[in-house]
Each structure stands twice: as C-alpha cells, then as structure tokens.
Amino acid sequence: MTNETLHTLKSGYTFDGPTLQLGVALNEDVPDKDTPISIPLSMLNRHGLVAGATGTGKTVTLQVLAEQLSRAGVPVFASDIKGDLSGVGAAGKASDKLSKRLEAAGQEWNASANPTEFYTLGDSGLGTPLRATVTSFGPILLSKVLELNDTQESVLSLVFHYADTAGLALLDLSDLRAVLNFLTSDEGKADLEDIGGASKATVGVILRKISELSAQGGDVFFGEPEFDTADLLRLDDNGAGIISVLELQKLNQSPALFSTFLMWLLADLFQDLPEVGDADKPSLVFFFDEAHLLFADGSKAFLQSVTQTVRLIRSKGVGIFFVTQTPKDVPEDVLAQLGSRIQHQLRAHTPNDAKALKSTVQTFPKSDYDLEELLTSLGIGEAVVTVMDPEGAPTPVAPTRMRAPESQMGPMSEDEIKSAVAASPQQEKYGTAIDNESAREILTKRLESGSEAHKQEQAAADKVAFPEDATQSSRSGSGSRSGSGAKQKDDDSMFSKVVKSSAFKQFSRTAVREITRGIFGTSRRRR
C-alpha cells in the first residue's frame, strides 16, 4: 500500500463529531496504527451489513460495535444465535495473545462490562421470557411464520379482521384455533360468508400449520404479558445504553418464528417512536443475526413490508445491521439501503461460493484493490470496510484489522446469566405468564349459550306437541330456570338480529378499510 493510499484512507475516515472505532487499516498484512478506521455515530441509523463466512469474526465485530454504542448512550438490541454474545455483559480478560494484538494495532484497552439484559422467546432459554399476542403480531407476520401461501394469507387476514370487529382478542394460538373452528362450524358459517368466505380445506391447512407451530414451542411464545418494545430504549443510571441480548440457541426448532419475531419488534417500534430526522446519535441500534432466515420463503407482501420498514424506520432514529454470510442473503431493495459494509473473509471452495464472491465484490465502491483476492485472504478478525460519511457518500474501501472488544470474548456461564436475570426488574415484569379472557373463552360461552337456547326452543316445541308431558315437566322443574331461559332466548334472539342485519354485514365487508394497522398488519398492544 502506498503512502498516498494510506493518506486517502486517513482523510476518508476522519470525521467531525463522535465515532465508533472499528480498527486500523492494514498495510499489506501489517496494521497501521496511524490510520484508524471508524464510523460516524450519527450515521448508524443509515443501517449496515456485517458479513463473512462462519468463524471469521462477525460476532466479535457485533460485540465491538455494541459496547461502544452502549458507552455513547445508545441502547442496543442483538440476537444471540450461538450464545457467544452474552460475554458483552462481563469484563474481558487479559492474555498474551490479546496483548500482542493490542500492541500491533496500538489499541488502548481496559477490561469492562456493559449493562446487559438477557431475554429468550417464551420459556426456551435462560433469559427473561418475551411474548407477543397473536393480535398484535398480525396476519402478514404470522403467515410468514406458518409458511402460508398467498391465498391462505388472505384468508388469515380476513379472520384477523373478523376477530377485530367482533371484539375477540387473539392472545395465543388457542384463541386463533377457536376462531377458525367457530367460523367453519354451523354456528359461525354465516359470519364466515359475510367476511368473504373460505373453503374448509384452506382453513384446515391453517389449523394444521398452527398445530405444527405449537409443537415447536410457539404456544409458549404467544400470550401475555406482551413485551413492551419501549423497554429496549432504556439507559442505566450512568447514562449508558442497555444492551438487550435475545438468546436464540434453539433457533433450529422454529427459525421462521424467531426471525419474524425480530421483525415484529421493529414494526412495533416503528408505530410507537416519534420522528427524529437526522439526530446526533441513534435512538437504538438493532443487530439482526442470521438475517437470511428473515427473507427465506417470505411472501411478496412480507418482503415489501420489510423493505418499507428498513426504509422508513431510519427517520425514527433506529439503525439496523444485518449479520449474515454474504450480501446475496439480503434482497437487493434492502441491500441498497445499507450504508455501511463490514465484510469479513469469504471462501470460494465451490462454484456457488465463487459466484457469491463475485456478487459481493460488485456491492463495494470502486477501489484499487483486487477485492476477490483480498476477501479470500483476510485473516480472522480482519475485514474490508466502507461506511457512509456525514455527507452521504461512501468512504474509501479499507482493509481493516478489527478492534478487540473490552468485554468478555465468549459466553458468560449459565449461573452468571441466571443471576443477572433474577436481579432484573424485567423478570418481575415479564417472567410469569398471564391468561386473560380472550377469544377462546368468549366463543366457548357463546356456543354454550347457543346450546342452552336450542334446548329451550326444543322444550317450547315439545310443549306445543305434547302439552301434558310439558306440564308435568314444568311442575317438576325450577321456576327460576325457566325465567333464565327466557332471558337467554331474548339475548340470543337480539344477537341473531344484529348479526343478520344489513348494517352488520356492511360493516364486516368494509372492515379491511376501516381497521388501522401498521405496515405489517400489526396491531397496537392492549394498554
């Protein structure tokens, strides 16, 4: 690397205002202490990509960014696929190997922990359980989780709108099953026709998919108390941003649920956060590990919603970093919105690997480097970097020796995590599941009332046909019961009149236009 190239890098990565230090430039294979590579704090809401083959240092890069953001007073949310990221909550440990790396890069280092909250989905891990209601999750995200086709997604959307207008709270999967079963029963088929109708075969597929999700642990994830995403925006008493780590080590059980839940968090944040424009620092930075799982098998509506969320949430002060193996794991419309790139080593052992390498090179600005050769020769903890400067232009492509984290590299012990969770006020707030009255209980009562009304009507018919038997029956029966039955019959008669009225039918047909939902069809949580 020439002195001119080094000067270009130094000037290209010199910014006014606070920055996050990524590392130092590599001159051939040697770190250049005098050429720091950084990213402006104010540009973190322009999103980014951390990519590279397995074992090349992506998680450590995520950790380096997270701990510096926390110290700058910016809250962080990160999914922890392998369990390695929990070390961000503990102080690092000095070693001879670390000392040599620090000396070569000229990095000052002080072992330090960061304020950290540990979460898990449902009861699948060690952290505080996170839950969401089916209603707030919405039909588009739930269709992604259930792997429904476009037709099935449309039917599920109609079911959600019906539940909204009928006042049926869908809190967990049993509520959704109850509504589907009701709409396909004799009692509910008229309501199903009024909202557009659906074949029993389609509903049957949706019910089977729900059963599969329940078997994979979805039944413990959906429910209350629902997680309030405002809790991701907290600072500690010293003004440091709290790092929220979501444990996803059981990802293989239901990858679609885990990845789509992260998108629900973003959708909920988008609805709740105010517009802030271009602030001095982001309100939250969101690290989306194993990002390819989010986009796999997504419907057109889902992918459009993801793209729109990424585009618009920047104005709410939220930055998103997708963490994956290659840029091709991210749709082009989303990739085009990622202002910063940190690309670790790629391998080209197969034709598909070679194709992915060429595609990755094309995503970088023009440079004097042979990026295909450079990307395959990087060592662990090294990356090719380009970020967006405050003027909105990409910085020069920089081979970089990445910074070492000051927190612990590798996971905390289970006992340490359990102790941190037990001491957290979040565990008291979300630790115990709540079973409030919802669609399942409401529909059960309705069906029981309908059954009782049917008995009363049958008794009245018998009284007309067999007056003597009816008289004897009335003498042996309870007077209070007959009075209650008359009242129940009147109530059911009134309900039937309302349901069959033209006003109700018109309201049902226009429910889609009248119900306000976010870009993912998500609903506001019950306050």
Side-chain angles (χ1 to χ4, degrees):
M1 185 181 293
T2 65
N3 289 334
E4 182 181 355
T5 302
L6 284 173
H7 177 73
T8 299
L9 291 179
K10 184 177 294 187
S11 61
Y13 287 88
T14 300
F15 309 111
D16 296 329
T19 62
L20 304 185
Q21 296 299 312
L22 299 178
V24 296
L26 281 170
N27 187 356
E28 302 300 334
D29 294 329
V30 180
D32 188 284
K33 302 177 183 180
D34 298 324
T35 311
I37 304 299
S38 60
I39 179 172
L41 182 62
S42 62
M43 302 304 289
L44 266 292
N45 69 334
R46 301 303 179 95
H47 312 318
L49 177 73
V50 179
T54 301
T56 56
K58 297 192 299 295
T59 300
V60 175
T61 292
L62 193 162
Q63 188 171 342
V64 166
L65 292 171
E67 63 183 20
Q68 290 186 75
L69 284 165
S70 175
R71 291 167 198 159
V74 178
V76 172
F77 176 89
S79 53
D80 188 14
I81 302 298
K82 299 179 291 295
D84 295 342
L85 191 59
S86 61
V88 75
K93 298 178 181 179
S95 67
D96 292 340
K97 183 178 179 180
L98 177 60
S99 297
K100 291 179 181 179
R101 186 179 182 90
L102 295 172
E103 183 180 357
Q107 177 184 339
E108 296 183 4
W109 188 86
N110 294 294
S112 58
N114 302 280
T116 307
E117 289 282 0
F118 298 99
Y119 296 103
T120 189
L121 291 192
D123 58 0
S124 62
L126 302 175
T128 297
L130 298 188
R131 302 178 184 86
T133 64
V134 171
T135 289
S136 70
F137 216 66
I140 295 177
L141 290 179
L142 190 58
S143 294
K144 171 67 165 58
V145 174
L146 297 175
E147 300 178 346
L148 303 182
N149 61 31
D150 290 344
T151 299
Q152 294 156 358
E153 181 178 319
S154 297
V155 170
L156 189 62
S157 295
L158 289 173
V159 172
F160 268 74
H161 292 309
Y162 169 77
D164 281 338
T165 57
L168 299 174
L170 303 177
L171 302 185
D172 53 31
L173 293 180
S174 67
D175 293 321
L176 183 56
R177 275 195 296 263
V179 172
L180 288 166
N181 285 325
F182 173 76
L183 288 173
T184 54
S185 68
D186 291 339
E187 293 82 357
K189 61 182 180 181
D191 290 4
L192 182 61
E193 291 175 1
D194 284 339
I195 62 172
S199 69
K200 284 195 173 183
T202 299
V203 174
V205 170
I206 297 174
L207 285 168
R208 285 197 298 273
K209 293 286 188 178
I210 293 172
S211 296
E212 292 173 8
L213 181 59
S214 295
Q216 295 168 358
D219 53 341
V220 296
F221 162 67
F222 287 105
E224 291 187 312
E226 183 172 77
F227 182 66
D228 186 349
T229 49
D231 286 339
L232 298 179
L233 306 175
R234 295 179 300 132
L235 306 178
D236 72 359
D237 293 337
N238 297 316
I242 292 178
I243 301 174
S244 299
V245 176
L246 177 61
E247 175 192 352
L248 294 177
Q249 294 185 59
K250 296 185 179 181
L251 182 71
N252 60 331
Q253 291 184 2
S254 184
L257 172 61
F258 296 149
S259 61
T260 310
F261 169 74
L262 301 186
M263 213 63 227
W264 173 80
L265 289 178
L266 285 177
D268 196 73
L269 284 166
F270 180 83
Q271 291 185 59
D272 288 348
L273 290 177
E275 295 280 339
V276 297
D278 292 323
D280 292 337
K281 62 183 181 182
S283 307
L284 172 74
V285 175
F286 198 100
F287 290 96
F288 208 130
D289 203 359
E290 298 293 338
H292 67 280
L293 296 173
L294 174 67
F295 303 107
D297 301 321
S299 68
K300 184 178 180 180
F302 176 82
L303 295 177
Q304 287 176 341
S305 297
V306 172
T307 303
Q308 189 176 3
T309 300
V310 174
R311 181 183 300 118
L312 298 178
I313 204 168
R314 177 183 69 80
S315 65
K316 303 295 186 86
V318 177
I320 306 171
F321 272 72
F322 293 101
V323 184
T324 189
Q325 294 203 6
T326 71
K328 72 180 183 64
D329 294 333
V330 181
E332 288 187 6
D333 289 343
V334 175
L335 191 62
Q337 300 175 57
L338 309 184
S340 299
R341 307 286 175 85
I342 303 173
Q343 179 67 59
H344 289 268
Q345 182 196 100
L346 286 175
R347 297 165 187 143
H349 300 322
T350 69
N352 284 337
D353 289 343
K355 185 177 180 180
L357 176 60
K358 289 183 180 295
S359 298
T360 298
V361 169
Q362 293 171 0
T363 66
F364 279 87
K366 290 183 179 180
S367 71
D368 295 332
Y369 300 105
D370 182 345
L371 286 179
E372 286 192 34
E373 180 180 351
L374 179 58
L375 287 172
T376 54
S377 61
L378 292 169
I380 296 174
E382 297 176 351
V384 174
V385 173
T386 180
V387 304
M388 184 177 288
D389 68 20
E391 303 300 320
T395 56
V397 174
T400 305
R401 172 70 61 84
M402 300 301 290
R403 181 182 177 88
E406 296 181 354
S407 52
Q408 177 177 305
M409 292 180 63
M412 293 171 58
S413 69
E414 287 193 6
D415 288 341
E416 289 175 317
I417 295 175
K418 288 178 180 178
S419 177
V421 171
S424 170
Q426 298 298 92
Q427 176 65 15
E428 182 178 353
K429 184 175 182 180
Y430 297 113
T432 303
I434 301 172
D435 187 14
N436 288 315
E437 184 181 67
S438 52
R440 174 169 49 86
E441 292 84 2
I442 293 171
L443 289 174
T444 298
K445 290 179 181 178
R446 183 180 299 178
L447 291 173
E448 288 176 350
S449 297
S451 177
E452 183 64 27
H454 176 73
K455 290 180 180 178
Q456 296 292 340
E457 290 174 359
Q458 186 63 47
D462 289 345
K463 185 175 181 180
V464 173
F466 307 102
E468 292 184 3
D469 292 343
T471 301
Q472 293 175 0
S473 175
S474 64
R475 288 172 180 171
S476 60
S478 169
S480 61
R481 186 177 66 181
S482 63
S484 173
K487 183 179 184 299
Q488 181 65 57
K489 183 177 179 181
D490 289 341
D491 290 344
D492 278 286
S493 177
M494 178 62 69
F495 174 77
S496 298
K497 290 178 181 178
V498 171
V499 169
K500 295 177 181 178
S501 69
S502 59
F504 180 88
K505 292 180 179 179
Q506 180 63 25
F507 180 77
S508 296
R509 293 189 189 101
T510 58
V512 173
R513 296 191 297 272
E514 295 185 359
I515 295 173
T516 303
R517 287 186 180 271
I519 53 180
F520 272 103
T522 54
S523 178
R524 292 277 187 177
R525 71 175 63 86
R526 299 198 304 175
R527 298 291 184 180

